Amino acid sequence: MSHITKSGTFQLGDRRVHRLGYGAMQLAGPGVFGPPRDRNAALAVLRAAVESGVDHIDTSDFYGPHVTNRLIRDALHPYRDDLVIVTKIGARRDDKGGWLPAFSREELTAAVHDNLRNLGLEALDVVNLRIMFDTHGPAEGSIAEPLSVLADLQRQGLVRHVGLSNVTPTQVAEGRRICKIVCVQNQYNLAHRDDDGLIDELARDDIAYVPFFPLGGFSPLQSSTLSDVAARLGATPMQVALAWLLQRSPNILLIPGTSSVDHLHENLAAADLVLSDEVRRELDRVASAG
């Protein structure tokens, strides 16, 4: 049984995908801005991911901008029938690489067409609306206006399924009243567990939850605890963090990113790691150790 198979599967829109996917953000240059240091290496990682059984890739046309989508197209087009490409809109980059909100009808429409063109697609499998009321994390505020624009683009056939990113539970509830939401993408990991209740709610309704930054924002004490557990298990801290997420809830889909083929295979091997109840209890305490 391969690493990918051991990760299990979950529904994403109208497709069932393996729970271990790939995030393309790190393929762009430093700060997710500009071209990669090694274009051939970036193409090799994408091809290795698909050859290893990865069947969903997370990207956006504001990575680069335009860089990761064009790499995906150059590496993988024409795409395998079972490959789901998930992209996102709602942000843009300034000329220095800064992240700015892009919520107007014109900006959202242009972003969908940019993703279509640069990925070489006639319709996007899943589009996440990234909410940018605060660039540092979710912040309350109505998402009805921009989400209605995305729902209109879905009705036009340019988008098959809609997701949300960087949102609060209140915004998820509001979004679900406007259109069907197939996934939510937020920061969540061993140290940052604000979305515990939301994950469980989405699981009851068979909606995917896609955490990003599996090692983001750890305090030195939290990192030390994770490293100690990893050393005892003969694994890397990233593998343990990913294994914990896989075992946290069946609706969690992972999109760890890397620009290295070796690191890609290391991440995928996290599916082989089965954490005992005792280890999971120890890891669960990491959140309160910060």
Side-chain angles (χ1 to χ4, degrees), residues 84-110:
V84 177
I85 298 178
V86 181
T87 187
K88 63 184 71 64
I89 61 174
R92 63 182 179 87
R93 313 299 293 279
D94 64 21
D95 57 4
K96 296 181 180 179
W99 302 81
L100 302 172
F103 281 164
S104 72
R105 176 174 291 273
E106 292 75 20
E107 288 171 316
L108 294 170
T109 302

Side-chain angles (χ1 to χ4, degrees), residues 21-209:
Y22 174 75
M25 185 174 74
Q26 292 188 32
L27 295 183
V32 201
F33 194 64
R37 293 187 178 92
D38 187 334
R39 185 175 185 277
N40 288 333
L43 297 174
V45 169
L46 287 162
R47 291 170 180 144
V50 172
E51 289 166 2
S52 298
V54 166
D55 56 11
H56 66 105
I57 293 176
D58 180 84
T59 185
S60 174
D61 213 55
F62 55 69
Y63 293 164
H66 316 306
V67 169
T68 62
N69 279 355
R70 290 172 180 169
L71 288 169
I72 290 169
R73 182 193 62 201
D74 290 348
L76 302 176
H77 195 279
Y79 303 113
R80 286 171 37 163
D81 291 341
D82 64 348
L83 182 63
V84 177
I85 298 178
V86 181
T87 187
K88 63 184 71 64
I89 61 174
R92 63 182 179 87
R93 313 299 293 279
D94 64 21
D95 57 4
K96 296 181 180 179
W99 302 81
L100 302 172
F103 281 164
S104 72
R105 176 174 291 273
E106 292 75 20
E107 288 171 316
L108 294 170
T109 302
V112 164
H113 283 282
D114 285 344
N115 279 280
L116 288 168
R117 180 177 62 256
N118 287 314
L119 287 167
L121 292 169
E122 295 182 356
L124 300 171
D125 293 321
V126 182
V127 176
N128 287 318
L129 175 65
R130 181 169 178 82
I131 301 304
M132 295 282 289
F133 296 151
D134 185 337
T135 57
H136 301 293
E140 295 292 0
S142 175
I143 64 172
E145 188 171 344
L147 185 57
S148 295
V149 174
L150 183 51
D152 285 343
L153 295 166
Q154 183 183 32
R155 284 188 285 270
Q156 293 172 32
L158 300 177
V159 174
R160 293 192 178 97
H161 301 284
V162 173
L164 297 171
S165 178
N166 201 43
V167 286
T168 68
T170 301
Q171 290 164 338
V172 173
E174 180 185 29
R176 294 181 66 185
R177 293 192 292 269
I178 294 169
C179 65
K180 181 178 180 180
I181 301 299
V182 302
C183 59
V184 173
Q185 186 182 99
N186 277 357
Q187 180 177 2
Y188 178 83
N189 56 38
L190 274 167
H192 293 269
R193 299 187 57 178
D194 292 347
D195 277 357
D196 270 335
L198 177 60
I199 289 170
D200 294 338
E201 177 185 339
L202 296 175
R204 288 191 292 270
D205 292 335
D206 295 323
I207 297 172
Y209 183 91

